[in-house]
Amino acid sequence: MVLEFSTWSRNNQWVQLQVSMEPGYKFQWVGRRDGHQIPQRLHAAFRTFGWKWPGKRITVLTQPPADLHAGSDAALSVAVLVGSRQWPIRVQEVYSLYGSVDLFGKILPVPGDVLPESWPASSRFHLVPMEWKRHFSGNNAVVGVGTLQDIQNFLHHGMRRDQGASVQKKEIIWPDLRLSEDLQWFFLVVAAGAHPCFLMGPPGTGKTQMARLWWKLLDVTCEGGQFLEPMPPRSAHVPIGSWLERTEGGCLFLDEVGEWPLKALEALRKPLEEAQCSTLYIAASNPCPCGFQGHASRPCTCPPGRIQAYQRRFSGPFLDRFQLYAYVQADPSDESVVWSEVRHRLKRARAMQSKRGLGLNGQLPADSLGKALLVQEAAWTDLRLWQQRTGMGERSVHAVLRVARTMADLEESVGVQPRHIRLAAHWHWSNQGLISKSDLWGPAHSWSTLGAPRSPRPQSSQP
Ligand SMILES: [Zn+2]
């Protein structure tokens, strides 16, 4: 198979890149001096998104022969990912691509490169780094891309928002998501306020699906950023700063955190606390090594000591970074989420938040909590009582206040009422219970038995 793309050469010319892929292993590029390092470097970039450098014989040729630099990385990456069928896309047109690819899959201009004056006539679209796009804001054929994922999205849908007004948004087909009544309420609260949350539950129960849907809802309602699900790190080195930066306004999904090295988990703490960004971050984990603790029909096969040890990996300060916690479990009898209603309620809750002009509740800075909340006197009393009883710190109090505000917004209530505080406190306390009070998951104490806020029975805050 031979694929063709246009790319930008060292002497500022658009040239044709031909990439052939055959069975075998050798990589050969006529025209790149650093050719031998490319497979390893791009492999690292691909892994950020779950792709890999394929075991193929790959030969790259430039027409006419030209001296290429790192700006041709993007074109090669796309050829390799399409050619190895990791991107299920049929490229029917010639695209011009320019940009170097860093180790996290970000598309960047090569320092010192000049902007092109003319574009190749054979290409219908020209994909360039975001930094270049702003110089061509009137030209809809020039598309700015931030990462390899953006390129894939563009090739897949053939269009993107930043192409300008001439492009219509593709209608999203909402999948059938089945959740219990209280998980539906939880789902809505997270979506409305973009609250960082921790999902625990057996494998295959929809944790990843929920995270992706939250992101889609953010995207639909707020023109959000991208979704990123990085590969679990193998060492303490976690590029969390870069992840947060890239998912600004979007969603960062940290899956299988129970399998992460302890040092990697600890490395997340400080950046998550200090993050001044609008990323919705979500972590997910199995509840135990075998994955089935708490499952309705499949027994857990782990010795009790191992479950404790597994859950103790999540330290209190780590869990504190999340405002909400849920045990997710699929049950065939659960009801389908009615998307039209979710979107309707979301829109109204978001309207309440934008009227306040302080951003989404999940990301309210601590010093503006007082202005935003309008907490009823009785609700404050409940909150302080709960704080005394549980010994929770100020950070937890803030988390509870943010979540309670979202619950009030979803009910279009001007003030935060005691029942909002009580349910939010209970949801947050269940989170803390993960380490030392795992019996909280028992049916008598699980937040999921509390029901929707219309009839809260919060044991944790009653005197
Ligand atoms: Zn188990």
PDB file of all heavy atoms in Angstrom, residues 288 290-291 300-302, ligand 1:
ATOM      1  N   CYS A 288     -10.781  -3.966  43.299  1.00  0.00           N
ATOM      2  CA  CYS A 288      -9.849  -4.938  43.890  1.00  0.00           C
ATOM      3  C   CYS A 288      -9.051  -5.558  42.747  1.00  0.00           C
ATOM      4  O   CYS A 288      -9.389  -5.360  41.582  1.00  0.00           O
ATOM      5  CB  CYS A 288     -10.623  -6.012  44.653  1.00  0.00           C
ATOM      6  SG  CYS A 288     -11.659  -7.015  43.577  1.00  0.00           S
ATOM      7  N   CYS A 290      -8.954  -8.530  41.420  1.00  0.00           N
ATOM      8  CA  CYS A 290      -9.712  -9.342  40.464  1.00  0.00           C
ATOM      9  C   CYS A 290     -10.782  -8.511  39.774  1.00  0.00           C
ATOM     10  O   CYS A 290     -11.249  -8.861  38.697  1.00  0.00           O
ATOM     11  CB  CYS A 290     -10.318 -10.582  41.122  1.00  0.00           C
ATOM     12  SG  CYS A 290     -11.936 -10.313  41.860  1.00  0.00           S
ATOM     13  N   GLY A 291     -11.198  -7.435  40.416  1.00  0.00           N
ATOM     14  CA  GLY A 291     -12.113  -6.492  39.778  1.00  0.00           C
ATOM     15  C   GLY A 291     -13.578  -6.629  40.147  1.00  0.00           C
ATOM     16  O   GLY A 291     -14.383  -5.788  39.775  1.00  0.00           O
ATOM     17  N   CYS A 300     -16.079 -11.967  44.162  1.00  0.00           N
ATOM     18  CA  CYS A 300     -14.687 -11.520  44.183  1.00  0.00           C
ATOM     19  C   CYS A 300     -13.834 -12.660  44.715  1.00  0.00           C
ATOM     20  O   CYS A 300     -14.207 -13.336  45.665  1.00  0.00           O
ATOM     21  CB  CYS A 300     -14.578 -10.290  45.080  1.00  0.00           C
ATOM     22  SG  CYS A 300     -12.909  -9.891  45.603  1.00  0.00           S
ATOM     23  N   THR A 301     -12.701 -12.886  44.073  1.00  0.00           N
ATOM     24  CA  THR A 301     -11.867 -14.020  44.473  1.00  0.00           C
ATOM     25  C   THR A 301     -10.618 -13.576  45.233  1.00  0.00           C
ATOM     26  O   THR A 301      -9.699 -14.367  45.427  1.00  0.00           O
ATOM     27  CB  THR A 301     -11.437 -14.813  43.218  1.00  0.00           C
ATOM     28  OG1 THR A 301     -10.835 -13.888  42.296  1.00  0.00           O
ATOM     29  CG2 THR A 301     -12.615 -15.492  42.555  1.00  0.00           C
ATOM     30  N   CYS A 302     -10.583 -12.295  45.645  1.00  0.00           N
ATOM     31  CA  CYS A 302      -9.381 -11.808  46.333  1.00  0.00           C
ATOM     32  C   CYS A 302      -9.464 -12.091  47.828  1.00  0.00           C
ATOM     33  O   CYS A 302     -10.536 -11.977  48.411  1.00  0.00           O
ATOM     34  CB  CYS A 302      -9.241 -10.297  46.155  1.00  0.00           C
ATOM     35  SG  CYS A 302      -9.304  -9.750  44.471  1.00  0.00           S
TER      36      CYS A 302
HETATM   37 ZN    ZN B   1     -11.500  -9.182  43.928  1.00  0.00          ZN
END
